[in-house]
Amino acid sequence: MNPILDELKVFTGNGHPELAKSVCEYLDIPLGQAEVFKFANDNTFVRIHENIRQRDVFIVQPTCFPVNDNLMELLIMIDACKRASAGRITAVVPYYGYGRTDKKDQPRVPITARLVADLLTAAGADRLLTVDLHAGQIQGFFNIPVDELTTLPLLGDYFAAKEIQDLVVVAVDIGISKKARDIAEHLGAPLAIIEKRRMNNNDVSETMNVIGEVEGKTSLVFDDEIVTGGSIVNAAKALYEQGVKDVFCCVTHPVLSKDGSEIMAKSKFSEVVVTDTIPMPPEKRNGKFTILSVAPLLGEAIYRIHKGQSVGDLFK
Ligand code: R5P
């Protein structure tokens, strides 16, 4: 084992063990031994199978499908580590579920993203390491340090290597336009923005207008997550109506509801590039998807947090 890292421990629940293993490969350390399962009464149980007293513990667990189970596992794992006298506990949450419920924009609704922050802190997390939050302001829901990594350079470099001529980056909605602008800058391409509207709480969105010059260009549509695929597929349709010649898309988190993957398979996109912040089981994969791994990014951030080095420098 690398002697520098001998106090660092990485554990995983059932949210994304493959990613946790890849992170450990990057760090050149074994995955921490633990069992995380449900009893017959549906209660989640956790046992850490090694000594973690005073260790720097990182628990890798995206709160993706099944969201509540994965969240509860994470909370219980944090509790187990705290009671086992871990020196410091970092919740590594590559996908932060409930991130879309981040404000009171209708009467009598919760701010669940804040509630989750409180739960993680109450359970005993000392830090949060996460990737591309739905809204950066969620960082402020925590009173513990938050490191938010971004996949924009990873996605941007992938498309830069393709050397696509006449490229335009398209933000799926106004909310994502700032991040889309960063990708556009990375690629030296102009930006267009789709005006999207959600009418109510039924997961259906409506594309209103395309703002910007797209005719005759190849579009790269960007969003933070795909769930039903509705927003991004509507965007592709609107772009073809405006005369684009080809459409790619890149999205950080492949949440993908039951039909989402099939909808993307049938879509007009030439390629759908996502990352592995969320697992993509074989039934959700199809020829359209390219999956880029965030394991080196997470591994390097974990190393830097452990060593007290700058995480921001990773993106310079
Ligand atoms: C919403 O604001 C998000 O940025 C995504 O646009 C949304 O989660 C995508 O959902 P769907 O694929 O169901 O349209």
Side-chain angles (χ1 to χ4, degrees):
M1 194 199 297
N2 182 340
I4 305 171
L5 299 177
D6 62 358
E7 296 295 303
L8 168 58
K9 296 276 182 190
V10 175
F11 291 92
T12 183
N14 293 303
H16 201 345
E18 300 76 21
L19 179 62
K21 281 179 203 145
S22 304
V23 166
C24 287
E25 273 164 31
Y26 179 89
L27 291 165
D28 198 18
I29 57 170
L31 181 62
Q33 288 175 38
E35 58 182 331
V36 185
F37 66 92
K38 273 191 182 182
F39 286 120
N41 62 2
D42 204 37
N43 290 190
T44 295
F45 182 73
V46 168
R47 181 157 178 221
I48 307 294
H49 281 292
E50 50 188 291
N51 175 24
I52 53 167
R53 279 179 192 269
Q54 296 309 313
R55 302 302 199 277
D56 195 7
V57 170
F58 292 80
I59 304 169
V60 179
Q61 178 92 329
T63 47
C64 53
F65 284 110
V67 177
N68 295 341
D69 280 348
N70 284 334
L71 174 61
M72 204 61 209
E73 275 189 5
L74 176 59
L75 295 169
I76 295 172
M77 288 187 82
I78 293 169
D79 186 67
C81 290
K82 190 177 162 196
R83 292 174 196 283
S85 306
R88 182 172 68 169
I89 303 167
T90 301
V92 181
V93 187
Y95 173 71
Y96 190 92
Y98 287 111
R100 277 166 63 178
T101 315
D102 62 349
K103 60 182 126 6
K104 200 159 176 264
D105 53 1
Q106 302 168 48
R108 298 173 296 283
V109 295
I111 304 180
T112 319
R114 166 65 201 246
L115 174 63
V116 169
D118 287 345
L119 290 170
L120 289 169
T121 312
D126 297 298
R127 314 181 55 93
L128 175 76
L129 173 61
T130 188
V131 181
D132 285 332
L133 289 166
H134 179 65
Q137 295 88 323
I138 293 171
Q139 292 172 19
F141 293 173
F142 288 86
N143 282 325
I144 54 174
V146 175
D147 288 300
E148 182 188 357
L149 307 177
T150 176
T151 59
L152 300 191
L154 180 69
L155 297 167
D157 286 350
Y158 179 83
F159 280 97
K162 287 184 181 283
E163 297 182 356
I164 299 169
Q165 299 302 305
D166 291 325
L167 184 68
V168 56
V169 173
V170 182
V172 160
D173 55 32
I174 290 163
I176 201 74
S177 56
K178 204 161 164 273
K179 284 188 174 170
R181 191 193 61 202
D182 291 342
I183 289 218
E185 256 174 43
H186 192 93
L187 292 168
L191 176 70
I193 300 171
I194 305 247
E195 189 193 350
K196 178 181 98 175
R197 195 160 60 175
R198 283 195 190 276
M199 305 304 286
N200 42 43
N201 295 329
N202 64 2
D203 272 328
V204 177
S205 65
E206 188 189 342
T207 292
M208 313 290 291
N209 284 305
V210 179
I211 306 164
E213 277 300 309
V214 296
E215 193 176 349
K217 295 181 189 283
T218 295
S219 320
L220 171 58
V221 182
F222 176 69
D223 205 354
D224 60 333
E225 60 180 48
I226 314 176
V227 185
T228 63
S231 304
I232 210 142
V233 166
N234 284 348
K237 275 190 209 143
L239 289 165
Y240 271 109
E241 279 164 20
Q242 297 292 317
V244 296
K245 59 175 189 228
D246 203 357
V247 186
F248 291 83
C249 83
C250 66
V251 173
T252 304
H253 307 294
V255 181
L256 291 171
S257 62
K258 214 165 47 187
D259 305 327
S261 171
E262 211 180 310
I263 286 170
M264 293 310 292
K266 290 184 187 148
S267 73
K268 290 176 179 295
F269 289 105
S270 300
E271 187 180 3
V272 180
V273 179
V274 298
T275 78
D276 62 352
T277 55
I278 292 175
M280 283 268 279
E283 65 276 13
K284 281 191 179 175
R285 296 182 187 215
N286 56 61
K288 286 263 162 108
F289 286 104
T290 299
I291 305 169
L292 307 180
S293 183
V294 294
L297 183 63
L298 284 174
E300 185 59 27
I302 288 172
Y303 177 82
R304 285 169 182 247
I305 291 167
H306 177 61
K307 299 296 290 176
Q309 295 173 358
S310 167
V311 172
D313 281 355
L314 255 175
F315 300 101
K316 275 190 181 156

